Amino acid sequence: MTKRYHLVGIKMTVAIICFSIIPLVMLGFSLYRHFSNSYTARVLESLRVSVEDRKRAIDLFFEERVLQLASIANTHSFSQITKPGYLDELFSLIQSRSRYYIDIGIIDMHGNHVAYVGPYNLKGFNYRETEWFQAVSMQGVYISDVFLGFRRAPHFIIAVMKREADGFWWILRATINTELFESLVLAARKGRYGDAFLVNEKGEYQTNPQVIGKTPDQSLPLEVRFFHGTKVTEAKMNGRRVATAASWLENKRWMLVVIEDLEEELFPLLQAKHLAFILLFVGVGAIVIGAVAVSVVMVRQLEQADRERSALDAELMHSSKMAALGRLAAGVAHEINNPLAVIREKAGWLRDLLEEEDIKASENFKEFADAVDKIEYHVERAREVTHRLLGFARRMEPRREKVNVNKVILETLSFLENEATYRNITIHKDLSLNIPDIQSDGAQLQQVFLNILNNAIDAVEKNGDIWISTRLKNGGNWVAIEISDSGPGINEEIMDRIFDPFVTTKPVGKGTGLGLSITYNIVEKLGGKIYARNRDGGHGAVFTVELPLVVGGSEDVLRV
């Protein structure tokens, strides 16, 4: 494949790949983008709904606890609830239904802890100066932040105030079971890297986060600021893509924060993405292979078409030149034949005079007779030359006639005898005598044999041999003409293309590469076949021409 066809193939391959892959990539990217956005929006919406459900559950928890404590306070007097053992029975009754409390206590209006049931020894402590005591004395109901208190352990309380008829008031305080409460919060957590926790207005954790805050570089991925409703945002946390949903509780100024690892939640989407990339890679590979294959086939067909067109142009040009040469040869032969006829007639007249006159008695009679013989001999020789020229002139006109193959071969050899003798090349002839005439074009056959024999002489160069033989084959229905030489033979690399146009083994400037191509076309038009091979041992080429033997002729013999 030449450089020009190679460039055409590259351009065609690139064009096919671009027009195939670009729409495919754009379609795939658009579909993935749309699917990714939809799936991500669905995950974020699910997170928002989950946070709102959990917030309502926590608010309901606080409401139930407050109502429960308020109901106890309102149904008991200070003297009743502070009786020895009464608060123990009441706490046992509460714990039998739920274990959301760790302890419970009664604090009078002076801050004294007058009754207590729980694991700590807190009875007798005074809470008058504590923040929660002052808050509940003002608000009546109070839910504290997590603090250490006298027990020196993180906890938070719910306290309700009961005011007696005489103006005395007291506080019922209960400490929430932190583990159970955190389990209520962590129920909103999803995935291995997800988290759920509560923070107060100062950004202090009110429940223990499971992932965030465990390492120094992990900070809260959102700003703690009051807002209404639920806020869902995306952020980067510790190098991972996360979604954060936050919502403030109704009964306590705590913000519920739920963090979801999007990379974990979007894992099905990531799998679909990988699968899409694999399919895209396979598709692109198939397109590239197909584009290269189609381009190679099309370029080869284009190259073959160009070769055939070039061969046709060359053949037409050659035919035009040969036709002109034939007309020129016919004109020259005609012009020479006329004086030759006169010379021959006069030579015959001289021979008659020599026989009729008394000149036989002349002592120069023998020289006169020899001169007349030589004149007639050379006139005949010149006539044969003009006859060949006329035959050459007729060969451009395809026709069907009875042709003696052996005679055509001998006539062709007569053109080459001098050349072969000059180069000391011996031509061995083995012509079968039982070959009948065939229906063909003698002039075209002469060109076929002339081309093959010329190539043989060029291959041998000098001091070699050429063999030519004829025989019948296929039950006598075909004539086979085999021409071989003692030259170097045909290179095996071009053996399959030896009859293609412009394929030649001759040096540059000494061969056009069209001789065998024209020969092949002529033999095909005559209904024959032609083969090429090397002699045994690889020294010398062998060309075999097979022609149909048609006695009486068939209109299909000549494909002209």
Side-chain angles (χ1 to χ4, degrees):
M1 187 179 295
T2 63
K3 184 177 180 181
R4 184 170 71 89
Y5 290 108
H6 185 67
L7 291 176
V8 171
I10 292 176
K11 291 179 180 177
M12 191 177 298
T13 302
V14 172
I16 294 174
I17 290 174
C18 289
F19 281 106
S20 302
I21 291 180
I22 291 178
L24 178 64
V25 172
M26 293 179 65
L27 177 62
F29 178 78
S30 300
L31 290 176
Y32 173 76
R33 186 81 175 176
H34 178 73
F35 182 72
S36 174
N37 291 339
S38 300
Y39 193 86
T40 303
R42 186 174 180 179
V43 170
L44 296 179
E45 178 62 18
S46 175
L47 177 61
R48 186 185 66 80
V49 172
S50 175
V51 167
E52 291 181 350
D53 290 343
R54 187 50 43 185
K55 186 196 77 169
R56 282 193 288 270
I58 297 173
D59 280 331
L60 182 61
F61 172 84
F62 283 134
E63 289 176 3
E64 289 178 347
R65 301 289 84 74
V66 170
L67 287 175
Q68 188 178 33
L69 294 177
S71 176
I72 293 173
N74 291 329
T75 55
H76 293 80
S77 63
F78 180 75
S79 58
Q80 182 185 7
I81 202 169
T82 54
K83 285 181 181 178
Y86 188 83
L87 190 60
D88 294 81
E89 294 178 1
L90 185 61
F91 187 66
S92 298
L93 180 62
I94 296 172
Q95 291 293 82
S96 65
R97 297 181 179 179
S98 64
R99 293 188 173 275
Y100 288 115
Y101 304 112
I102 293 178
D103 58 17
I104 191 170
I106 304 298
I107 297 96
D108 64 14
M109 60 184 296
H110 303 294
N112 298 317
H113 205 165
V114 296
Y116 174 77
V117 178
Y120 301 99
N121 186 19
L122 299 177
K123 187 176 179 180
F125 280 91
N126 188 283
Y127 294 95
R128 187 178 184 82
E129 301 300 328
T130 60
E131 180 182 354
W132 67 267
F133 181 84
Q134 295 178 7
V136 72
S137 63
M138 296 177 62
Q139 300 174 7
V141 178
Y142 181 72
I143 301 173
S144 74
D145 286 344
V146 175
F147 65 103
L148 296 178
F150 291 118
R151 68 189 69 184
R152 299 301 175 188
H155 67 286
F156 73 96
I157 61 151
I158 299 177
V160 297
M161 184 181 71
K162 168 68 181 299
R163 188 177 295 276
E164 301 285 348
D166 55 359
F168 180 79
W169 55 272
W170 52 277
I171 296 173
L172 175 61
R173 189 204 70 170
T175 304
I176 300 298
N177 186 328
T178 305
E179 292 183 359
L180 290 179
F181 183 73
E182 287 190 350
S183 66
L184 177 66
V185 175
L186 288 175
R189 180 190 178 197
K190 288 184 179 179
R192 181 180 176 185
Y193 298 101
D195 209 343
F197 50 87
L198 291 166
V199 295
N200 61 13
E201 294 175 302
K202 300 177 182 177
E204 298 170 341
Y205 294 112
Q206 302 304 301
T207 58
N208 290 319
Q210 301 300 305
V211 178
I212 190 171
K214 295 296 184 183
T215 58
D217 58 340
Q218 288 181 335
S219 57
L220 196 63
L222 77 166
E223 183 182 359
V224 180
R225 187 174 57 182
F226 183 76
F227 55 84
H228 294 284
T230 302
K231 181 183 290 184
V232 180
T233 57
E234 291 186 46
K236 282 284 186 181
M237 190 178 73
N238 199 25
R240 299 183 70 85
R241 183 186 174 199
V242 298
T244 302
S247 185
W248 289 92
L249 301 181
E250 298 292 338
N251 298 311
K252 176 63 180 173
R253 193 55 69 91
W254 284 355
M255 184 172 69
L256 172 64
V257 179
V258 177
I259 298 175
E260 212 170 79
D261 184 5
L262 284 179
E263 295 181 8
E264 193 175 9
E265 291 298 320
L266 298 178
F267 184 70
L269 180 64
L270 187 63
Q271 285 183 315
K273 179 181 177 181
H274 291 164
L275 179 61
F277 271 114
I278 293 174
L279 293 177
L280 180 63
F281 179 77
V282 173
V284 169
I287 289 174
V288 171
I289 294 174
V292 172
V294 170
S295 299
V296 169
V297 172
M298 294 185 68
V299 168
R300 285 181 178 174
Q301 290 180 347
L302 177 63
E303 186 177 10
Q304 181 64 26
D306 287 348
R307 282 184 177 178
E308 291 176 354
R309 187 182 61 187
S310 299
L312 181 60
D313 292 343
E315 188 175 358
L316 289 174
M317 184 178 295
H318 179 77
S319 299
S320 177
K321 289 180 178 178
M322 294 306 291
L325 184 59
R327 288 191 294 271
L328 177 62
V332 172
H334 179 72
E335 293 299 327
I336 293 176
N337 271 339
N338 290 334
L340 284 178
V342 175
I343 293 172
R344 186 175 184 182
E345 183 180 353
K346 295 302 180 183
W349 179 70
L350 286 175
R351 180 177 296 280
D352 292 342
L353 291 179
L354 289 176
E355 292 176 354
E356 294 174 0
E357 299 296 331
D358 196 22
I359 197 170
K360 289 183 178 178
S362 173
E363 58 182 5
N364 296 320
F365 175 78
K366 189 174 184 306
E367 291 184 6
F368 293 152
D370 290 342
V372 171
D373 289 342
K374 289 181 179 177
I375 290 172
E376 289 181 339
Y377 170 75
H378 288 288
V379 167
E380 180 62 22
R381 190 176 174 188
R383 190 190 67 81
E384 289 181 358
V385 171
T386 57
H387 177 72
R388 290 172 187 167
L389 288 175
L390 289 173
F392 177 77
R394 288 197 301 268
R395 74 177 187 172
M396 299 311 299
E397 304 295 333
R399 61 181 182 176
R400 187 177 60 187
E401 60 187 358
K402 286 186 177 181
V403 175
N404 186 301
V405 174
N406 288 341
K407 184 178 179 182
V408 173
I409 292 173
L410 292 175
E411 288 179 355
T412 305
L413 288 174
S414 67
F415 287 108
L416 304 171
E417 283 178 348
N418 290 336
E419 179 74 12
T421 302
Y422 173 75
R423 298 193 184 198
N424 194 26
I425 296 174
T426 304
I427 300 177
H428 306 272
K429 299 182 284 292
D430 182 13
L431 308 180
S432 176
L433 298 178
N434 60 350
I435 294 178
D437 293 345
I438 66 172
Q439 288 285 2
S440 189
D441 187 320
Q444 298 281 15
L445 282 180
Q446 191 176 66
Q447 184 173 355
V448 168
F449 300 143
L450 189 63
N451 286 343
I452 297 175
L453 288 168
N454 265 327
N455 284 342
I457 291 173
D458 289 340
V460 174
E461 291 185 350
K462 60 182 180 180
N463 302 325
D465 298 283
I466 294 176
W467 297 269
I468 181 167
S469 64
T470 58
R471 58 186 171 85
L472 290 174
K473 65 174 295 187
N474 293 342
N477 294 322
W478 286 71
V479 175
I481 304 97
E482 187 173 277
I483 301 173
S484 58
D485 60 66
S486 59
I490 304 171
N491 191 333
E492 292 294 338
E493 294 181 356
I494 63 169
M495 182 66 79
D496 295 338
R497 301 183 288 115
I498 191 65
F499 295 111
D500 287 353
F502 308 111
V503 174
T504 180
T505 58
K506 296 178 181 179
V508 177
K510 292 188 177 181
T512 62
L514 292 173
L516 287 178
S517 175
I518 295 172
T519 299
Y520 182 86
N521 290 331
I522 292 174
V523 173
E524 271 210 329
K525 289 177 181 178
L526 296 177
K529 306 171 185 175
I530 183 169
Y531 311 99
R533 62 181 175 85
N534 283 323
R535 296 174 60 199
D536 295 339
H539 298 293
V542 180
F543 287 86
T544 303
V545 177
E546 296 180 357
L547 298 169
L549 177 62
V550 181
V551 179
S554 168
E555 296 300 331
D556 297 329
V557 171
L558 297 180
R559 303 171 187 169
V560 296

